[in-house]
Amino acid sequence: MDSRTEPDSEAAAAIHRPALVREVLLVAGLFLVYKFGRQLANGHTAQAFHNAHRVWDWERALRLPGEGAVQSALLHGDTLVRAANLYYVAVHFTATAAFLVWLYLRRPGHYLWARRVLALVTGAALALHLTFPLAPPRMLHAGHLVDTGQLYGPTVYGAEPATDSMANQFAAMPSLHFGWALMVATGLIAATRSRWRWLWLLHPLLTLLVIVGTANHYWLDAVVATALLGIALAVVPSPSSKARGTAAAARRTVPSPRSAEPRTADGPGLVGAGR
């Protein structure tokens, strides 16, 4: 990660860094609540497949490209599809965790902002998982897609979704794989000033191709995740907006040069007026 950023004082920023133990416990607690909440949404098999057919029909009505086109490209070689499966399994949590750790150590103000945005997006996603269970496209016969994780590996999902105790496979919408990846890119672009920082957008782009190509998510799963992230970014004040507000407040409290002019009985600024 390029360390060139806006000319803020790192020493001053460090003063506002939250306590490490509290943050670890808070993030871990939020993650456990989310995992437990997803399990509550498990088991709604009939509704999940009913919603899957609805999403598939919506995508066709919107003339979105078929998910099969991306999967066909992945299936040209075993190495490529296994790399996509590994990316799906390994990068989601590790990239987000590394992002938060780096912000905590180097950009504390951006860390608090990013943590709040991610918590808001994840909470909204959990609410959707509970109210709109959705089977992924790999389970939908109408899509004619294959489960690349089961066929090629690796995978984090059990072969029988209804009895999978490790993950809720009926929580496709929204895709937090994509939502978190997009926030990682957004946060790093906001926290750095390198001219190469826009390349971080390759992370959500690659994530999108992976989640669709492996048939774990629909296009609309990413669209909804993007909408939720946009709402969260609009609600949670960014470090730059806070800095602008602080600067504006400081300007309002600084006395203007006119206020320092000497006064006489005839009014301000009249000393030497007869010269």
Side-chain angles (χ1 to χ4, degrees):
M1 297 179 185
D2 198 303
S3 61
R4 288 183 294 171
T5 64
E6 63 278 3
D8 290 340
S9 170
E10 290 298 329
I15 298 175
H16 304 290
R17 183 176 292 116
L20 177 60
V21 174
R22 188 195 72 177
E23 289 301 309
V24 170
L25 292 176
L26 178 61
V27 173
L30 289 172
F31 176 73
L32 290 176
V33 169
Y34 171 71
K35 292 293 289 184
F36 177 73
R38 277 179 61 115
Q39 291 301 319
L40 293 178
N42 212 351
H44 301 284
T45 305
Q47 187 179 357
F49 278 98
H50 174 69
N51 290 335
H53 284 284
R54 293 169 63 190
V55 169
W56 185 263
D57 291 341
W58 291 341
E59 288 191 340
R60 306 293 75 80
L62 294 171
R63 299 187 181 279
L64 293 178
E67 286 81 357
V70 182
Q71 186 170 89
S72 296
L74 288 183
L75 294 177
H76 279 308
D78 290 2
T79 302
L80 186 59
V81 69
R82 287 195 178 98
N85 289 334
L86 182 61
Y87 193 95
Y88 183 85
V89 169
V91 175
H92 175 48
F93 287 108
T94 54
T96 308
F99 164 68
L100 290 174
V101 169
W102 186 82
L103 287 183
Y104 179 85
L105 295 175
R106 301 297 299 274
R107 307 289 180 266
H110 285 83
Y111 164 79
L112 290 171
W113 164 68
R115 189 249 287 157
R116 289 165 183 160
V117 170
L118 284 171
L120 188 57
V121 169
T122 304
L126 178 58
L128 269 177
H129 294 160
L130 293 170
T131 57
F132 193 79
L134 180 65
R138 56 187 165 82
M139 298 181 188
L140 195 63
H141 294 304
H144 304 290
L145 301 170
V146 299
D147 188 339
T148 61
Q150 293 295 332
L151 288 178
Y152 297 93
T155 182
V156 294
Y157 300 125
E160 296 296 331
T163 59
D164 191 350
S165 60
M166 296 300 295
N168 176 15
Q169 298 191 41
F170 298 137
M173 180 178 288
S175 169
L176 282 181
H177 272 74
F178 182 75
W180 286 11
L182 188 57
M183 181 56 203
V184 168
T186 302
L188 290 173
I189 291 171
T192 61
R193 285 295 178 267
S194 167
R195 61 181 178 179
W196 303 104
R197 68 188 186 278
W198 297 99
L199 291 177
W200 286 112
L201 290 173
L202 292 175
H203 175 44
L205 176 60
L206 184 56
T207 299
L208 178 62
L209 296 177
V210 165
I211 64 176
V212 172
T214 57
N216 282 296
H217 288 282
Y218 305 89
W219 295 111
L220 285 180
D221 297 340
V223 171
V224 173
T226 302
L228 292 179
L229 178 60
I231 294 171
L233 289 172
V235 170
V236 180
S238 66
S240 58
S241 65
K242 289 182 177 180
R244 287 193 297 268
T246 302
R251 285 194 296 269
R252 288 194 296 268
T253 58
V254 174
S256 64
R258 289 180 176 274
S259 64
E261 293 180 0
R263 291 174 172 269
T264 67
D266 296 322
L270 296 180
V271 175
R275 296 181 185 176

